[in-house]
Amino acid sequence: MSLVMKFGGSSVADAERMRQVAHLARSAASQGALVVLSAAGRTTDALLVAARHAESGRIEEALAGHQALQRAHRALAEALFPEGIPSGLQRALADLDDELDLLLRGVALLQECSPRSRDAITSVGERFSTRILAAFLGAPWVDARKVLRTDATFGAAQPQPEALRTLAREHLASHLHPGSLAVTQGFIGATSEGLTTTLGRGGSDYSASLFGAALEASEIQIWTDVEGVLTCDPRVVPGAQAIPELSFAEAAELAAFGAKVLHPATLEPAVAAGIPVTVRHTLRPEGCFTTITAHPGTGRPATALACRGPVTVLTVTSSRMLNQSGFLARLFEVFRHHRTSVDLVATAEVSVSLTVDADAPLDRLRADLEAFARVEVAEDRAIVALVGERLKATPGVTGRAFGALGDLNVEMISMGANEINLSLVVRHDEAPEALRRLHAAFFEEAP
Ligand code: ADP
Ligand code: ASP
Ligand code: MG
């Protein structure tokens, strides 16, 4: 049974890290490993900036952005091959440069960048990084677009697992026997017509999990810049602690509520296939790591904190709501109509509060809702989520959370239907302080 090893952007940002990735991959080769890579460092951001310049007709800026990426990838390859970049890699990089040049010029000419064009442009980042690593490892380079079949929702493509399984058998399985390695791209896929798609930002984790499920891998490893999933984002709470074991449900909930360490869709294919997912630090492979499975050991009442924001809270009030059986249906129809997903819902006798993403079409939502209710809007809020399988079995969690928050105002509260997520809405600028206080109460004191 093979292994899937995904390395994120920071893990392949420079030659030193690429060497470390190669070392880790070689150490795992005895099982047969598929290495799934993100674009190096901030390449995807840079490609999106270049695409925006091109769309606005600023071709010089767009091409300057491309040249900077070209130089950075060339420098990476030169550092890995001090004797000279092999001709196969030279050609592959030159072809990618030509393709990117054409794409940017095409967009600039039309001054129009559709999601389809944007996907074609951003896909170049993962192709650059994987070409370099595959050459360095001397391992086969597999074009993910031949395997990761998706629909045509450019920018947020939906994978088609059945087709993916068949294509993985056809294009990947032959490379993956004990002792061998293959390298492919995260983030990118293609439609049945061969059009390049992407799974959305941070989507390489999802790719790894999809490949793992299709290959019936023994483990999906997510290698990144933290020692596993921690009790909170360490950028907000520097004292956040490693979590050795996590349930699929907890990890999915943390990801959905903003823990960037995993793309929100990552766990789905792994759960369906019953494959453990581990999260590990590329530069500290001997350090702590997290194993995510269906049945982890039990621990503290709360497992971790996550935060998502900014979000907008809509409070919809109607005195006619009382005993009106169709009210909620009518309410949610408005959100469906505007293709707006609702995260949290809390109901009271005559009002319903809901949270939507900050970029939701507020004016249109409001206009439709005001046809039958009064609407109050609170922008710049954040959802702080306390997640844990044992929350439901622990009395007094809500009281403890409120006690910890002290004078910070909680504007909405919701216990997820699965009872492993207590979500609190606070002002966005107060969210870091709310996380620090909750972390102190739930993870830094005796349970
Ligand atoms: P990669 O490029 O490897 O995909 P990401 O930047 O997407 O890495 O994800 C790793 C980052 O996620 C960490 O550096 C950390 O700041 C952030 N993060 C947010 N929440 C958590 C958490 N609960 N545990 C660990 N890291 C977290
Ligand atoms: N390179 C893509 C991004 O930056 C995908 C990923 O890194 O997961 O969003
Ligand atoms: Mg990521």
Side-chain angles (χ1 to χ4, degrees), residues 287-335:
C288 301
F289 64 95
T290 300
T291 304
I292 308 169
T293 59
H295 307 290
T298 52
R300 288 171 173 257
T303 305
L305 285 160
C307 177
R308 227 177 96 181
V311 300
T312 301
V313 179
L314 295 169
T315 301
V316 184
T317 308
S318 167
S319 51
R320 283 174 294 155
M321 180 180 161
L322 212 60
N323 299 328
Q324 292 257 327
S325 59
F327 180 81
L328 284 179
R330 192 166 174 197
L331 179 71
F332 283 110
E333 172 53 26
V334 172
F335 292 91

Short mmCIF file of all heavy atoms in Angstrom, two decimals, residues 287-335:
data_model
loop_
_atom_site.label_atom_id
_atom_site.label_comp_id
_atom_site.label_asym_id
_atom_site.label_seq_id
_atom_site.Cartn_x
_atom_site.Cartn_y
_atom_site.Cartn_z
N GLY A 287 9.78 15.73 15.24
CA GLY A 287 9.00 16.41 16.28
C GLY A 287 7.59 15.85 16.42
O GLY A 287 7.29 14.74 15.97
N CYS A 288 6.72 16.65 17.05
CA CYS A 288 5.33 16.21 17.25
C CYS A 288 4.61 16.21 15.91
O CYS A 288 4.99 16.94 14.99
CB CYS A 288 4.59 17.19 18.16
SG CYS A 288 5.33 17.37 19.77
N PHE A 289 3.58 15.41 15.82
CA PHE A 289 2.70 15.45 14.65
C PHE A 289 1.31 14.99 15.06
O PHE A 289 1.13 14.44 16.15
CB PHE A 289 3.26 14.63 13.49
CG PHE A 289 3.36 13.15 13.76
CD1 PHE A 289 2.34 12.29 13.37
CD2 PHE A 289 4.46 12.62 14.41
CE1 PHE A 289 2.42 10.92 13.61
CE2 PHE A 289 4.55 11.26 14.66
CZ PHE A 289 3.54 10.41 14.27
N THR A 290 0.34 15.24 14.19
CA THR A 290 -1.03 14.88 14.51
C THR A 290 -1.49 13.73 13.62
O THR A 290 -1.26 13.75 12.41
CB THR A 290 -1.96 16.10 14.26
OG1 THR A 290 -1.52 17.16 15.08
CG2 THR A 290 -3.41 15.76 14.58
N THR A 291 -2.16 12.77 14.23
CA THR A 291 -2.78 11.70 13.45
C THR A 291 -4.29 11.88 13.52
O THR A 291 -4.85 11.98 14.62
CB THR A 291 -2.39 10.32 14.01
OG1 THR A 291 -0.97 10.23 14.04
CG2 THR A 291 -2.96 9.20 13.15
N ILE A 292 -4.91 11.93 12.36
CA ILE A 292 -6.36 12.13 12.31
C ILE A 292 -7.01 10.81 11.84
O ILE A 292 -6.72 10.32 10.75
CB ILE A 292 -6.72 13.27 11.33
CG1 ILE A 292 -5.92 14.53 11.66
CG2 ILE A 292 -8.21 13.56 11.36
CD1 ILE A 292 -6.00 15.61 10.61
N THR A 293 -7.84 10.26 12.70
CA THR A 293 -8.49 8.97 12.38
C THR A 293 -9.94 9.02 12.83
O THR A 293 -10.38 9.98 13.46
CB THR A 293 -7.83 7.80 13.13
OG1 THR A 293 -7.94 8.06 14.53
CG2 THR A 293 -6.37 7.61 12.77
N ALA A 294 -10.67 7.96 12.55
CA ALA A 294 -12.07 7.91 12.98
C ALA A 294 -12.17 7.76 14.49
O ALA A 294 -13.11 8.24 15.10
CB ALA A 294 -12.78 6.76 12.27
N HIS A 295 -11.21 7.07 15.10
CA HIS A 295 -11.34 6.78 16.54
C HIS A 295 -10.09 7.18 17.31
O HIS A 295 -9.28 6.35 17.68
CB HIS A 295 -11.57 5.27 16.74
CG HIS A 295 -12.70 4.76 15.94
ND1 HIS A 295 -14.01 5.07 16.22
CD2 HIS A 295 -12.73 3.96 14.85
CE1 HIS A 295 -14.79 4.50 15.34
NE2 HIS A 295 -14.05 3.82 14.49
N PRO A 296 -9.94 8.46 17.57
CA PRO A 296 -8.76 8.88 18.34
C PRO A 296 -8.98 8.62 19.83
O PRO A 296 -10.12 8.36 20.25
CB PRO A 296 -8.71 10.37 18.07
CG PRO A 296 -10.12 10.76 17.89
CD PRO A 296 -10.82 9.58 17.29
N GLY A 297 -7.94 8.71 20.61
CA GLY A 297 -8.09 8.58 22.06
C GLY A 297 -8.83 9.78 22.61
O GLY A 297 -9.00 10.79 21.93
N THR A 298 -9.28 9.68 23.85
CA THR A 298 -10.00 10.81 24.43
C THR A 298 -9.01 11.73 25.11
O THR A 298 -7.95 11.31 25.54
CB THR A 298 -11.04 10.33 25.45
OG1 THR A 298 -10.37 9.47 26.37
CG2 THR A 298 -12.18 9.59 24.77
N GLY A 299 -9.39 13.00 25.20
CA GLY A 299 -8.47 13.94 25.81
C GLY A 299 -9.24 14.94 26.64
O GLY A 299 -10.15 14.58 27.37
N ARG A 300 -8.86 16.19 26.51
CA ARG A 300 -9.53 17.25 27.26
C ARG A 300 -10.94 17.48 26.73
O ARG A 300 -11.26 17.05 25.62
CB ARG A 300 -8.74 18.53 27.08
CG ARG A 300 -7.44 18.53 27.83
CD ARG A 300 -6.62 19.73 27.42
NE ARG A 300 -5.44 19.85 28.25
CZ ARG A 300 -5.32 20.72 29.26
NH1 ARG A 300 -6.29 21.57 29.53
NH2 ARG A 300 -4.23 20.76 29.98
N PRO A 301 -11.77 18.24 27.48
CA PRO A 301 -13.14 18.53 27.02
C PRO A 301 -13.12 19.23 25.65
O PRO A 301 -13.94 18.96 24.79
CB PRO A 301 -13.69 19.47 28.08
CG PRO A 301 -12.78 19.38 29.25
CD PRO A 301 -11.49 18.77 28.81
N ALA A 302 -12.15 20.15 25.48
CA ALA A 302 -12.07 20.85 24.19
C ALA A 302 -10.76 20.45 23.53
O ALA A 302 -9.76 20.22 24.20
CB ALA A 302 -12.10 22.34 24.42
N THR A 303 -10.78 20.34 22.21
CA THR A 303 -9.59 19.87 21.49
C THR A 303 -8.79 21.04 20.89
O THR A 303 -7.57 21.03 20.93
CB THR A 303 -10.01 18.89 20.38
OG1 THR A 303 -10.77 17.86 21.00
CG2 THR A 303 -8.82 18.28 19.69
N ALA A 304 -9.49 22.00 20.30
CA ALA A 304 -8.78 23.12 19.67
C ALA A 304 -9.73 24.27 19.40
O ALA A 304 -10.96 24.12 19.48
CB ALA A 304 -8.13 22.66 18.36
N LEU A 305 -9.13 25.41 19.04
CA LEU A 305 -9.89 26.61 18.69
C LEU A 305 -9.63 26.99 17.24
O LEU A 305 -8.51 26.80 16.75
CB LEU A 305 -9.43 27.78 19.56
CG LEU A 305 -9.88 27.81 21.01
CD1 LEU A 305 -8.95 28.71 21.81
CD2 LEU A 305 -11.32 28.32 21.10
N ALA A 306 -10.63 27.51 16.58
CA ALA A 306 -10.41 28.04 15.23
C ALA A 306 -11.17 29.35 15.11
O ALA A 306 -12.01 29.67 15.95
CB ALA A 306 -10.89 27.04 14.18
N CYS A 307 -10.86 30.09 14.07
CA CYS A 307 -11.51 31.39 13.92
C CYS A 307 -11.70 31.73 12.44
O CYS A 307 -10.80 31.50 11.64
CB CYS A 307 -10.65 32.46 14.57
SG CYS A 307 -11.30 34.10 14.38
N ARG A 308 -12.86 32.24 12.13
CA ARG A 308 -13.14 32.63 10.75
C ARG A 308 -13.69 34.03 10.69
O ARG A 308 -14.65 34.35 11.38
CB ARG A 308 -14.18 31.67 10.18
CG ARG A 308 -13.76 31.18 8.83
CD ARG A 308 -14.72 30.23 8.33
NE ARG A 308 -15.62 30.96 7.49
CZ ARG A 308 -16.64 30.39 6.90
NH1 ARG A 308 -16.90 29.13 7.11
NH2 ARG A 308 -17.39 31.09 6.11
N GLY A 309 -13.11 34.86 9.87
CA GLY A 309 -13.64 36.20 9.76
C GLY A 309 -12.89 36.98 8.69
O GLY A 309 -11.87 36.51 8.22
N PRO A 310 -13.36 38.15 8.30
CA PRO A 310 -14.60 38.73 8.81
C PRO A 310 -15.84 38.05 8.23
O PRO A 310 -15.81 37.57 7.11
CB PRO A 310 -14.52 40.19 8.34
CG PRO A 310 -13.64 40.15 7.13
CD PRO A 310 -12.67 39.03 7.35
N VAL A 311 -16.90 38.03 9.03
CA VAL A 311 -18.20 37.57 8.55
C VAL A 311 -19.22 38.65 8.88
O VAL A 311 -18.92 39.59 9.62
CB VAL A 311 -18.64 36.23 9.21
CG1 VAL A 311 -17.66 35.12 8.92
CG2 VAL A 311 -18.83 36.39 10.72
N THR A 312 -20.40 38.52 8.28
CA THR A 312 -21.47 39.48 8.53
C THR A 312 -22.62 38.76 9.23
O THR A 312 -22.95 37.63 8.85
CB THR A 312 -21.96 40.07 7.19
OG1 THR A 312 -20.84 40.71 6.56
CG2 THR A 312 -23.08 41.08 7.39
N VAL A 313 -23.19 39.40 10.24
CA VAL A 313 -24.35 38.81 10.93
C VAL A 313 -25.60 39.54 10.46
O VAL A 313 -25.67 40.77 10.47
CB VAL A 313 -24.23 38.96 12.46
CG1 VAL A 313 -25.45 38.35 13.15
CG2 VAL A 313 -22.95 38.31 12.97
N LEU A 314 -26.58 38.77 10.03
CA LEU A 314 -27.87 39.34 9.65
C LEU A 314 -28.89 38.90 10.68
O LEU A 314 -29.01 37.70 10.96
CB LEU A 314 -28.31 38.80 8.28
CG LEU A 314 -27.45 39.21 7.08
CD1 LEU A 314 -27.85 38.40 5.85
CD2 LEU A 314 -27.65 40.68 6.81
N THR A 315 -29.59 39.84 11.26
CA THR A 315 -30.67 39.46 12.18
C THR A 315 -31.99 39.84 11.53
O THR A 315 -32.23 41.00 11.18
CB THR A 315 -30.50 40.15 13.54
OG1 THR A 315 -29.22 39.76 14.05
CG2 THR A 315 -31.58 39.73 14.52
N VAL A 316 -32.80 38.83 11.30
CA VAL A 316 -34.04 38.99 10.54
C VAL A 316 -35.20 38.86 11.54
O VAL A 316 -35.33 37.82 12.19
CB VAL A 316 -34.14 37.91 9.45
CG1 VAL A 316 -35.38 38.11 8.60
CG2 VAL A 316 -32.89 37.91 8.60
N THR A 317 -35.99 39.92 11.66
CA THR A 317 -37.06 39.91 12.67
C THR A 317 -38.41 40.07 11.99
O THR A 317 -38.57 40.91 11.09
CB THR A 317 -36.86 41.10 13.66
OG1 THR A 317 -35.53 41.01 14.15
CG2 THR A 317 -37.85 41.04 14.81
N SER A 318 -39.36 39.27 12.42
CA SER A 318 -40.71 39.41 11.89
C SER A 318 -41.70 39.03 12.97
O SER A 318 -41.67 37.92 13.48
CB SER A 318 -40.89 38.50 10.67
OG SER A 318 -42.26 38.42 10.36
N SER A 319 -42.55 39.98 13.32
CA SER A 319 -43.55 39.67 14.36
C SER A 319 -44.53 38.64 13.83
O SER A 319 -45.20 37.95 14.58
CB SER A 319 -44.26 40.94 14.80
OG SER A 319 -44.73 41.61 13.66
N ARG A 320 -44.60 38.55 12.53
CA ARG A 320 -45.53 37.57 11.94
C ARG A 320 -44.93 36.18 11.92
O ARG A 320 -45.55 35.22 11.51
CB ARG A 320 -45.87 37.98 10.50
CG ARG A 320 -46.88 39.12 10.44
CD ARG A 320 -47.07 39.59 9.02
NE ARG A 320 -45.83 40.21 8.52
CZ ARG A 320 -45.51 40.28 7.23
NH1 ARG A 320 -46.28 39.76 6.33
NH2 ARG A 320 -44.39 40.87 6.86
N MET A 321 -43.69 36.08 12.35
CA MET A 321 -42.99 34.79 12.27
C MET A 321 -43.63 33.73 13.16
O MET A 321 -43.67 32.56 12.83
CB MET A 321 -41.55 35.00 12.71
CG MET A 321 -40.71 33.78 12.67
SD MET A 321 -39.07 34.27 13.21
CE MET A 321 -38.42 32.69 13.64
N LEU A 322 -44.11 34.21 14.31
CA LEU A 322 -44.68 33.31 15.29
C LEU A 322 -45.69 32.35 14.65
O LEU A 322 -46.61 32.78 13.98
CB LEU A 322 -45.38 34.17 16.36
CG LEU A 322 -45.38 33.65 17.78
CD1 LEU A 322 -43.96 33.48 18.28
CD2 LEU A 322 -46.13 34.65 18.66
N ASN A 323 -45.47 31.11 14.81
CA ASN A 323 -46.39 30.08 14.30
C ASN A 323 -46.54 30.06 12.78
O ASN A 323 -47.48 29.50 12.27
CB ASN A 323 -47.79 30.20 14.94
CG ASN A 323 -47.72 30.02 16.43
OD1 ASN A 323 -46.87 29.27 16.92
ND2 ASN A 323 -48.57 30.72 17.15
N GLN A 324 -45.64 30.71 12.10
CA GLN A 324 -45.75 30.68 10.64
C GLN A 324 -44.85 29.55 10.13
O GLN A 324 -43.64 29.67 10.15
CB GLN A 324 -45.26 32.01 10.05
CG GLN A 324 -46.16 33.17 10.37
CD GLN A 324 -47.02 33.56 9.20
OE1 GLN A 324 -46.57 33.44 8.07
NE2 GLN A 324 -48.24 34.00 9.45
N SER A 325 -45.46 28.50 9.66
CA SER A 325 -44.65 27.32 9.33
C SER A 325 -43.74 27.56 8.12
O SER A 325 -42.67 27.00 8.03
CB SER A 325 -45.56 26.12 9.07
OG SER A 325 -46.43 26.44 8.02
N GLY A 326 -44.13 28.46 7.22
CA GLY A 326 -43.31 28.64 6.02
C GLY A 326 -42.21 29.69 6.16
O GLY A 326 -41.46 29.94 5.21
N PHE A 327 -42.08 30.30 7.35
CA PHE A 327 -41.17 31.44 7.48
C PHE A 327 -39.70 31.08 7.18
O PHE A 327 -39.03 31.73 6.39
CB PHE A 327 -41.28 32.06 8.87
CG PHE A 327 -40.38 33.23 9.06
CD1 PHE A 327 -40.73 34.48 8.60
CD2 PHE A 327 -39.13 33.08 9.67
CE1 PHE A 327 -39.89 35.57 8.76
CE2 PHE A 327 -38.28 34.17 9.83
CZ PHE A 327 -38.67 35.40 9.38
N LEU A 328 -39.25 30.01 7.82
CA LEU A 328 -37.84 29.65 7.62
C LEU A 328 -37.57 29.25 6.17
O LEU A 328 -36.52 29.56 5.61
CB LEU A 328 -37.43 28.52 8.57
CG LEU A 328 -37.21 28.93 10.03
CD1 LEU A 328 -36.83 27.72 10.87
CD2 LEU A 328 -36.14 29.99 10.15
N ALA A 329 -38.54 28.57 5.56
CA ALA A 329 -38.37 28.16 4.16
C ALA A 329 -38.21 29.40 3.29
O ALA A 329 -37.32 29.48 2.43
CB ALA A 329 -39.57 27.34 3.72
N ARG A 330 -39.06 30.41 3.57
CA ARG A 330 -39.01 31.63 2.79
C ARG A 330 -37.68 32.36 3.01
O ARG A 330 -37.06 32.88 2.07
CB ARG A 330 -40.18 32.52 3.22
CG ARG A 330 -40.40 33.67 2.31
CD ARG A 330 -41.72 34.31 2.56
NE ARG A 330 -41.84 35.50 1.75
CZ ARG A 330 -42.73 36.44 1.96
NH1 ARG A 330 -43.60 36.33 2.94
NH2 ARG A 330 -42.77 37.51 1.18
N LEU A 331 -37.26 32.35 4.26
CA LEU A 331 -36.00 33.01 4.61
C LEU A 331 -34.82 32.36 3.86
O LEU A 331 -34.02 33.04 3.20
CB LEU A 331 -35.81 32.86 6.12
CG LEU A 331 -34.55 33.44 6.74
CD1 LEU A 331 -34.63 34.95 6.73
CD2 LEU A 331 -34.39 32.95 8.17
N PHE A 332 -34.73 31.04 3.95
CA PHE A 332 -33.58 30.37 3.33
C PHE A 332 -33.64 30.39 1.81
O PHE A 332 -32.61 30.33 1.15
CB PHE A 332 -33.43 28.95 3.88
CG PHE A 332 -32.82 28.95 5.26
CD1 PHE A 332 -33.58 28.61 6.37
CD2 PHE A 332 -31.51 29.35 5.45
CE1 PHE A 332 -33.03 28.66 7.64
CE2 PHE A 332 -30.95 29.40 6.71
CZ PHE A 332 -31.71 29.05 7.81
N GLU A 333 -34.85 30.52 1.27
CA GLU A 333 -34.99 30.63 -0.18
C GLU A 333 -34.24 31.88 -0.69
O GLU A 333 -33.61 31.85 -1.75
CB GLU A 333 -36.48 30.67 -0.55
CG GLU A 333 -36.79 30.97 -2.02
CD GLU A 333 -36.07 30.07 -3.02
OE1 GLU A 333 -35.71 28.93 -2.65
OE2 GLU A 333 -35.83 30.53 -4.16
N VAL A 334 -34.27 32.95 0.11
CA VAL A 334 -33.57 34.18 -0.29
C VAL A 334 -32.06 33.89 -0.41
O VAL A 334 -31.42 34.29 -1.38
CB VAL A 334 -33.83 35.31 0.74
CG1 VAL A 334 -32.95 36.52 0.44
CG2 VAL A 334 -35.29 35.68 0.78
N PHE A 335 -31.52 33.15 0.56
CA PHE A 335 -30.08 32.86 0.52
C PHE A 335 -29.74 31.91 -0.62
O PHE A 335 -28.73 32.05 -1.29
CB PHE A 335 -29.62 32.29 1.88
CG PHE A 335 -29.68 33.33 2.97
CD1 PHE A 335 -30.83 33.47 3.73
CD2 PHE A 335 -28.63 34.19 3.18
CE1 PHE A 335 -30.91 34.45 4.71
CE2 PHE A 335 -28.69 35.17 4.15
CZ PHE A 335 -29.84 35.30 4.92
#
